[in-house]
Structure formats: C-alpha cells, structure tokens
C-alpha cells in the first residue's frame, strides 16, 4: 500500500430534490482511500452508500465540496471527460450482475473491450484469461441463465476487470447470494484486489465480511452506531 490517495473527498455534500422535498444524504463527507487499500463501506439501508459510490464512480456529481481521483479535481471535467476517466480507471460491480442474456459469459466479459475498440480475438482472449481468474475456466460458452447466482456474479467481476481498472467499486456485490456463496465471492474479490493491484471500495451489509477489509467506513449517523 502506498500513501498516494486514489480517492480524496473533502466536505462532499450530495442530496436529492429541492425545497421542502429535499433530502440531504451525504453531509460534508471526508474520505481518503490510498493506493492498494481495500475499504468496506457499511451502514443501514438508505444512509447513502450507493450515493457515495455513484459520486466516486463519476456517475453523479457532488453539490459542493471537493472530489479528486488520482489527484485530479473532477468538478471541472465535462461529461465526455468523466466518461473517459470512468472507462479507463474504474470497474463496477453491483448487487445485480447486469449480464446481457443474449451474450455468453466470454462475450459479456469482452464487451467493455469491444466497446473500447479492441478486436474480437484479443478481447475474447483477455475474457478467457479473466474467466480463469474468477474460477470459471471452461464456462466461457455458458449463457447467464445457465450459470448459478454466484457464477453470474463472478462473470460480472471478470467484466469489471476487463479494462484493467485501478479502482474497483462494488455495491453490495454479495447481497443476492446465500452465505457460502457470499463468502466465496467476497474472498474472490479480495484475491483479485491483491493480484491486480487494485484500490477497492466495497459496500456491504455483512459485518463479518467488512472486517476482512483493510478498513471499514461506517456511514451510520453517530447516534445509530453500535
Ligand atoms: P443506501 O445505498 O445506503 O441504501 P442510497 O444512497 O441508495 O442509500 O440512498 C440514500 C437516500 O437517498 C435514500 O433516502 C434514498 O431514498 C435517496 N435517494 C437515492 N437516490 C435518489 C434519487 N435519484 N432521487 C431521490 N432520492 C434518492
Ligand atoms: Mg445501496
């Protein structure tokens, strides 16, 4: 781990709506995540965990405060620049796998590379490499509905890593899995985090899994913390 911050948030504020319907979700958040760190984000439902990941993942913008990725202030970036930075730097995994039903596992994993302009053969070869890395060598030709929930999530993790991101953002990646599968998928993320030299932020409700990370950031309001 080095001390170089990959994510730095200072006084970040984000809410939804205006006037009497406004809900302020993130109220002046300070967060620093350094290169190589594996950080768990916890807290009760509705506290703003997904909102935080959307901000860090450049899917949404802070209303105020400062957010830097790799030392770059992201506020002045255009939509296009944000998309470029996101595609190059960030891999996402969500609670639902969002695999495309009509593509087999290999082509799902290869999709980000094809969109980025890679030739089919090179993209598929990288996809097979990643399928092996997530323990699914030999399943490349399976379609999502021929895979178990745990396997579908493994394919989604492989897809998130296709572009060799530096930052992995996972929003309750084991939330739909039974306990054994949740532990296995979580351990897979931890293994890949180390192997690929990632910096990772993982939202989880599971405190046992959160404790396996380098650090836990609990978003629960002070009064609700146990
Ligand atoms: P968590 O992931 O911790 O469950 P979220 O970040 O999804 O929480 O949501 C935090 C709060 O913000 C919730 O009260 C939710 O209803 C609200 N919220 C989230 N997204 C929107 C949106 N697009 N518009 C309005 N309110 C939203
Ligand atoms: Mg959420």
């Amino acid at each position: 781990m080095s001390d170089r911050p990959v994510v730095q948030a200072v006084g970040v504020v984000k809410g939804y709506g205006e006037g009497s319907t406004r809900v302020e979700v993130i109220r002046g958040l300070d967060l620093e995540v350094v290169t190589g760190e594996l950080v768990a984000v916890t807290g009760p439902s509705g506290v703003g965990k997904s909102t935080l990941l959307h901000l860090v993942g450049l899917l949404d913008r802070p209303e105020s405060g400062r957010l830097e990725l790799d030392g770059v202030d992201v506020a002045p970036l255009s939509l296009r620049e944000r998309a470029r930075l996101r595609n190059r730097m960030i891999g996402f995994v969500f609670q639902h796998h969002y695999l495309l039903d009509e593509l087999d596992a290999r082509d799902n994993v290869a999709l980000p590379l094809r969109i980025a302009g890679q030739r089919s053969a090179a993209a598929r070869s990288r996809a097979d490499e990643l399928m092996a890395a997530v323990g699914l060598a030999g399943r490349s030709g399976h379609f999502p509905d021929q895979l178990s929930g745990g396997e579908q999530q493994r394919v989604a993790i492989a897809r998130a890593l296709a572009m060799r991101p530096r930052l992995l953002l996972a929003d309750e990646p084991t939330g739909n899995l039974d306990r054994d599968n949740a532990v296995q998928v979580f351990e897979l993320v931890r293994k890949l985090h180390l192997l690929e030299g990632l910096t990772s932020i993982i939202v989880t409700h599971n405190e046992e899994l959160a404790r396996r990370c380098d650090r836990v950031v609990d978003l629960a309001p002070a009064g609700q913390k146990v």
Side-chain angles (χ1 to χ4, degrees):
M1 230 181 275
S2 98
D3 288 345
R4 229 160 64 91
V6 176
V7 178
Q8 189 154 40
V10 180
V12 163
V13 174
K14 172 71 187 173
Y16 300 100
E18 277 167 31
S20 61
T21 63
R22 176 172 167 81
V23 184
E24 199 161 272
V25 180
I26 309 264
R27 303 186 187 90
L29 177 85
D30 298 330
L31 174 70
E32 186 176 280
V33 182
V34 300
T35 304
E37 237 188 330
L38 173 63
V39 173
V41 172
T42 61
S45 190
V47 80
K49 304 179 298 295
S50 296
T51 300
L52 170 62
L53 278 204
H54 291 166
L55 295 173
V56 172
L58 304 180
L59 295 169
D60 208 343
R61 290 172 183 271
E63 291 170 326
S64 62
R66 189 177 173 87
L67 176 65
E68 292 184 1
L69 291 187
D70 249 351
V72 175
D73 179 5
V74 299
L77 300 182
S78 67
L79 216 59
R80 211 189 157 98
E81 288 167 330
R82 292 162 65 84
R84 239 177 77 86
L85 186 58
R86 186 167 59 234
N87 293 339
R88 237 185 27 222
M89 180 176 173
I90 304 174
F92 287 95
V93 181
F94 299 96
Q95 183 167 351
H96 183 71
H97 55 73
Y98 295 116
L99 298 173
L100 299 183
D101 293 338
E102 62 277 24
L103 298 182
D104 66 18
R106 176 192 289 119
D107 284 340
N108 265 288
V109 176
L111 191 61
L113 300 166
R114 297 288 288 142
I115 291 169
Q118 269 202 27
R119 286 175 182 280
S120 173
R124 285 187 163 156
S125 143
R126 166 82 178 141
D128 279 339
E129 193 181 297
L130 283 160
M131 286 294 287
V134 299
L136 292 176
R139 296 282 217 293
S140 288
H142 284 55
F143 287 82
D145 67 1
Q146 299 171 324
L147 298 168
S148 72
E151 289 168 344
Q152 290 166 344
Q153 204 55 324
R154 285 167 184 266
V155 177
I157 291 165
R159 180 186 53 192
L161 299 180
M163 295 283 286
R164 300 183 193 281
R166 302 208 19 239
L167 179 62
L168 179 68
L169 302 178
D171 196 348
E172 308 206 36
T174 65
N176 283 348
L177 305 178
D178 61 44
R179 192 187 175 280
D180 286 354
N181 270 300
V183 171
Q184 281 178 28
V185 165
F186 198 86
E187 285 305 315
L188 173 68
V189 171
R190 273 196 346 142
K191 182 184 100 180
L192 293 169
H193 166 84
L194 291 171
L195 273 178
E196 303 276 318
L198 296 165
T199 303
S200 307
I201 304 178
I202 302 182
V203 170
T204 179
H205 267 113
N206 186 324
E207 298 200 1
E208 180 205 330
L209 296 180
R211 279 196 295 272
R212 299 183 186 195
C213 296
D214 297 326
R215 185 155 60 98
V216 179
V217 173
D218 186 1
L219 293 187
Q224 284 183 31
K225 284 187 185 165
V226 279

